Amino acid sequence: MARRPRTKQKRHRFGVPREIILLKGQNDVWPYRFAGDDSGGCGKVTMPSGAVVDDVQAAVVTPLADLARTLHGCEIDVTWSVLTPDSWVGEVAPRQ
């Protein structure tokens, strides 16, 4: 039986996040999206719907900061602002 030649799989290239959009939680799940220079992604944080927004924002930033530290060797700072009453936007900047 003939086999197909093995091909190398492309690894996803994740850039440093530049922006995070966090949506208000429903059913104990807070969804978020992040965008970088050459990539993006989404995720969710499992916290109560009535959780303090600052705690949820910290829970979102922690894995993204770990990703930036591990893949790019840099630390990030996030400045949050209200986008709508039920969503927030975080501007991400490399720590100087």
Side-chain angles (χ1 to χ4, degrees):
M1 174 186 330
R3 292 187 175 192
R4 286 188 291 178
R6 281 195 118 162
T7 58
K8 288 187 178 182
Q9 292 181 346
K10 281 189 172 182
R11 291 180 58 188
H12 292 286
R13 185 172 167 198
F14 292 103
V16 177
R18 298 286 177 223
E19 182 179 71
I20 307 166
I21 296 177
L22 173 65
L23 303 176
K24 184 165 177 58
Q26 295 179 357
N27 301 325
D28 297 339
V29 174
W30 294 69
Y32 66 90
R33 292 182 157 259
F34 65 93
D37 289 337
D38 55 356
S39 66
C42 58
K44 57 186 172 184
V45 176
T46 304
M47 294 184 84
S49 298
V52 177
V53 175
D54 291 339
D55 294 340
V56 178
Q57 290 171 345
V60 169
V61 170
T62 301
L64 294 178
D66 290 341
L67 178 74
R69 187 178 311 113
T70 302
L71 296 180
H72 303 287
C74 69
E75 298 292 326
I76 59 172
D77 289 321
V78 180
T79 305
W80 291 96
S81 59
V82 177
L83 189 58
T84 67
D86 292 337
S87 63
W88 300 263
V89 63
E91 295 295 324
V92 182
R95 190 173 292 163
Q96 299 289 327

